[in-house]
Amino acid sequence: MAHPLELAEPNVIDEELIRGCITTVEEISIAEDKKKEMKTETELHDIKAVSFSFQNILRIDNLNGLFSLVKLQLDNNIIEKIENIGHLVNLEWLDLSFNNIQNIQGLETLTKLTDLSLFNNRIEELKNLKTLQNLNCLSVGNNLIRDVVHAITYLRPFRKLKMLNMAGNPCHKDPEYHMRIVAHLRDIVYVDYRLVDPDKVQQAREQYQEDLFEILEEEKKQAEDEKKAEEHQQWVDTLSEANLSGVDTLLKVMLDEDPEQGKLHHLSFWLEIIDEIQHEFKGMSKDFIDNTLKDNKSKYAEKRRFVDALRSSRQKSDGDSIALVGKFDLKKKKLMRQLEDLREDETVKKLRELQDLNTELNDDLLELGLRQMEADDQIISDFERRYGDLVNAFVEAAQNGFCTKIRDLENAFHTRAVTMATDELEHFAAGQLEDVTDEAQIFLGDKDIVFASLNASHDAHLGIIDGLEDQIVTKERKTYNTLVAEARAESHTRDRKRITEIATVTARNNKEIVELIQNEQEGWNR
């Protein structure tokens, strides 16, 4: 199977070895001078391909920084474990053939892999490859894989897999090896380096028709389950974005986290009134969610209006600033063309006039910046007020609308439960209840325990309602305050950057003018 361990001292991967093994993604010949330049000058983070073939490497290590690596060859070594390559997320081609690897592992993050070779190792089972759905070519020949059924079941979800090599494994001796593969792997084109015959595929699918029918039914069910799970997650994300997490599941949480539910189920009417409250809760929660999602459109519109207002205001200010700088540059260029025709004293005079214009430019740009700061502040303040009104409206709907209604529902439920429990206890005392379990008899036999349990359940429910209300209000206020604070912080940062840019531009202009004046004055002295 895999070759025996070498007696020579294993080679350690280091930068020198990495650079010596740099190659190209495509197998093309390169001039020696270009090859030498590529190996010495290329930055580690820019290396695309490395070939460590026949390097007597025992351990994969020290590949940090090779973030751009697309092709990695580690074939014909003495590697025993796949490790320390999970960060090479851009890998598309990986060759680990002719090593001593027993387990497939450490590849989960390499989701861009299209070509993977584990040929001639000691692998007994295909596993830990499910994230590699872009695999086009997989070679696991000459290993110790015995179960072809498990292998093809594992590989069936890999819809992009076109080439598979498992020749040389114990499972290859199965007389139905080839037929099983071409029947079950729908998209396979090459098996063991041979083109698949379409007639053989049809024959194989007819042979395994019953098995394939069951598989297709199971895959259909799985696809439906996955779709439902995806839709549920989208719904959960929608509620979370709208700050409605926990609203639709509030009653379920109230019942699931109620420590008295086990006892109260001994009351004959309990499940019936639970059913009724669930129906009423469903309507209340749906109304609140639907209304909130509808009202949230106003929030989104307000955010867009805010962003558009800022952008429009700043674009105009930026345009005015660019125009001022352009106007100054034109005057400067015109003066520079005139300097050769002026006397020395006239040249200095003109340059000082330009210096005054630069000071005016600085003042004008700062004035524009100040006006933009005021405009930003006004736009943010208007947004803070309008968006704050929407936030307050939502908080009001959550507190005095939904949560109040749910508390009223819980209070009514509790009152009814106490009344019905009183009647049931009287019937129990009179021996008028039938089919009462031993546990129910113990519970109903102590009136104080029954009412204590009902009251404790009621308190627990109210506590959970209070908790959800606090969660919603706190998150809404925090999100709003953060939104406004970030807008002001961004505006402040932009203002400081703008002032720095103005100072840089006018200082550069002034320096250039001063140097010209000095040069003219030095010419006088000469």
Side-chain angles (χ1 to χ4, degrees):
M1 190 54 59
H3 54 75
L5 294 176
E6 301 292 335
L7 295 177
E9 186 71 20
N11 215 347
V12 177
I13 298 175
D14 56 18
E15 184 171 344
E16 181 181 356
L17 181 61
I18 291 172
R19 292 198 172 280
C21 294
I22 293 176
T23 183
T24 56
V25 176
E26 300 83 12
E27 295 183 4
I28 56 176
S29 58
I30 304 176
E32 286 302 317
D33 58 335
K34 291 290 184 182
K35 188 182 296 185
K36 182 177 180 181
E37 179 183 344
M38 180 176 68
K39 292 186 175 185
T40 56
E41 301 298 327
T42 306
E43 296 287 344
L44 289 179
H45 58 78
D46 290 329
I47 296 173
K48 299 289 185 182
V50 178
S51 175
F52 294 116
S53 305
F54 298 97
Q55 293 296 326
N56 201 38
I57 294 169
L58 175 61
R59 186 167 187 264
I60 307 172
D61 203 0
N62 301 323
L63 298 178
N64 298 327
L66 302 179
F67 304 115
S68 299
L69 207 60
V70 174
K71 183 176 182 180
L72 175 60
Q73 293 172 255
L74 286 158
D75 58 285
N76 290 281
N77 286 290
I78 51 175
I79 296 167
E80 298 177 349
K81 182 180 179 182
I82 305 173
E83 58 184 337
N84 300 319
I85 59 173
H87 62 290
L88 304 177
V89 294
N90 289 306
L91 270 186
E92 298 176 10
W93 202 98
L94 176 61
D95 188 353
L96 286 161
S97 59
F98 295 95
N99 280 288
N100 300 312
I101 297 166
Q102 296 183 30
N103 294 307
I104 301 176
Q105 59 187 14
L107 303 175
E108 292 82 359
T109 58
L110 309 185
T111 56
K112 293 184 180 180
L113 272 182
T114 60
D115 194 312
L116 173 62
S117 179
L118 293 162
F119 185 82
N120 210 87
N121 277 278
R122 300 174 180 177
I123 296 165
E124 297 182 0
E125 179 185 5
L126 295 182
K127 59 183 180 179
N128 299 324
L129 294 172
K130 289 185 178 180
T131 57
L132 310 186
Q133 291 297 313
N134 286 309
L135 275 183
N136 177 267
C137 177
L138 175 64
S139 177
V140 287
N142 277 24
N143 276 281
L144 302 174
I145 300 171
R146 297 183 180 279
D147 191 345
V148 67
V149 175
H150 175 272
I152 59 177
T153 301
Y154 186 83
L155 293 174
R156 184 172 169 83
F158 290 71
R159 298 305 303 270
K160 295 183 180 180
L161 188 64
K162 305 297 182 186
M163 294 173 278
L164 174 66
N165 173 33
M166 293 204 302
N169 283 284
C171 68
H172 190 248
K173 297 177 182 178
D174 186 329
E176 298 184 15
Y177 165 83
H178 185 80
M179 295 293 277
R180 288 184 185 277
I181 291 176
V182 297
H184 290 80
L185 301 187
R186 292 160 287 188
D187 306 291
I188 207 71
V189 178
Y190 291 89
V191 175
D192 301 339
Y193 306 114
R194 292 185 179 182
L195 184 65
V196 172
D197 183 347
D199 292 335
K200 288 285 187 182
V201 174
Q202 184 61 34
Q203 181 184 342
R205 289 177 180 172
E206 290 175 359
Q207 180 177 336
Y208 295 102
Q209 185 174 3
E210 291 184 7
D211 291 346
L212 289 171
F213 179 78
E214 291 181 6
I215 291 172
L216 288 170
E217 286 298 306
E218 181 61 31
E219 289 176 344
K220 181 180 178 181
K221 182 179 181 302
Q222 183 179 351
E224 290 173 352
D225 291 343
E226 289 175 353
K227 183 180 180 181
K228 288 179 181 177
E230 183 180 350
E231 289 174 349
H232 174 70
Q233 187 57 52
Q234 289 176 349
W235 176 244
V236 169
D237 293 342
T238 297
L239 293 182
S240 176
E241 186 179 356
N243 191 15
L244 294 170
S245 295
V247 169
D248 59 334
T249 57
L250 173 59
L251 183 58
K252 184 178 184 303
V253 173
M254 287 165 59
L255 297 175
D256 289 348
E257 297 185 6
D258 182 352
E260 304 299 322
Q261 281 297 305
K263 300 176 187 177
L264 295 173
H265 273 248
H266 293 308
L267 297 170
S268 62
F269 61 83
W270 190 252
L271 293 180
E272 178 186 342
I273 62 173
I274 288 289
D275 237 16
E276 292 174 2
I277 194 177
Q278 284 177 331
H279 178 73
E280 292 185 64
F281 170 81
K282 186 176 181 180
M284 291 179 180
S285 61
K286 184 179 185 304
D287 287 344
F288 178 54
I289 290 172
D290 289 347
N291 290 333
T292 299
L293 293 179
K294 182 180 178 181
D295 292 342
N296 271 2
K297 293 179 181 178
S298 298
K299 284 185 178 179
Y300 301 142
E302 191 57 53
K303 286 181 182 179
R304 286 195 300 271
R305 187 182 298 114
F306 167 63
V307 171
D308 290 345
L310 268 184
R311 183 188 299 115
S312 176
S313 176
R314 289 172 176 179
Q315 283 178 345
K316 183 179 185 309
S317 178
D318 290 345
D320 292 343
S321 297
I322 291 171
L324 285 173
V325 173
K327 184 178 179 181
F328 173 84
D329 287 342
L330 284 175
K331 290 181 178 179
K332 184 175 72 172
K333 288 178 181 178
K334 183 178 179 180
L335 174 62
M336 297 305 290
R337 289 195 297 267
Q338 296 174 349
L339 289 182
E340 293 181 0
D341 300 328
L342 297 176
R343 298 193 313 272
E344 288 83 348
D345 57 336
E346 292 177 335
T347 298
V348 171
K349 181 181 178 182
K350 289 291 184 182
L351 288 172
R352 295 201 184 282
E353 289 177 0
L354 187 61
Q355 204 170 26
D356 292 339
L357 289 175
N358 185 52
T359 301
E360 289 180 17
L361 173 65
N362 183 77
D363 294 342
D364 290 343
L365 289 174
L366 287 175
E367 177 63 26
L368 272 177
L370 180 61
R371 289 205 297 268
Q372 186 56 50
M373 288 169 59
E374 293 172 348
D376 276 14
D377 184 66
Q378 185 61 52
I379 292 170
I380 294 172
S381 295
D382 289 344
F383 169 74
E384 183 177 16
R385 174 179 51 78
R386 289 195 297 264
Y387 199 83
D389 290 342
L390 295 174
V391 167
N392 291 333
F394 170 71
V395 169
E396 174 71 17
Q399 288 183 310
N400 299 325
F402 176 69
C403 290
T404 296
K405 289 178 181 179
I406 298 302
R407 286 192 189 92
D408 291 343
L409 180 65
E410 167 59 27
N411 289 331
F413 171 80
H414 177 64
T415 300
R416 187 179 176 202
V418 169
T419 301
M420 294 179 76
T422 301
D423 291 342
E424 184 151 314
L425 287 170
E426 290 176 357
H427 291 147
F428 175 73
Q432 297 173 350
L433 293 184
E434 298 178 356
D435 300 326
V436 181
T437 65
D438 292 343
E439 290 182 352
Q441 288 185 22
I442 294 172
F443 180 62
L444 296 172
D446 192 326
K447 180 180 179 180
D448 292 339
I449 290 179
V450 173
F451 288 119
S453 184
L454 285 168
N455 290 330
S457 174
H458 180 53
D459 291 342
H461 293 176
L462 291 176
I464 291 171
I465 295 170
D466 291 344
L468 179 64
E469 179 181 323
D470 183 63
Q471 170 192 307
I472 290 173
V473 172
T474 300
K475 181 180 178 181
E476 189 70 12
R477 297 292 189 201
K478 182 177 180 181
T479 301
Y480 166 66
N481 291 332
T482 300
L483 187 63
V484 174
E486 287 178 349
R488 293 198 180 282
E490 186 275 335
S491 179
H492 180 66
T493 300
R494 186 180 186 277
D495 293 339
R496 294 182 62 181
K497 182 180 178 183
R498 187 68 174 269
I499 291 172
T500 301
E501 288 173 348
I502 292 171
T504 300
V505 169
T506 55
R508 184 175 62 243
N509 289 340
N510 190 63
K511 180 181 178 182
E512 183 179 350
I513 296 168
V514 168
E515 288 176 351
L516 289 171
I517 292 173
Q518 289 175 345
N519 289 338
E520 286 296 324
Q521 290 176 338
E522 288 174 1
W524 296 353
N525 295 333
R526 287 196 298 269

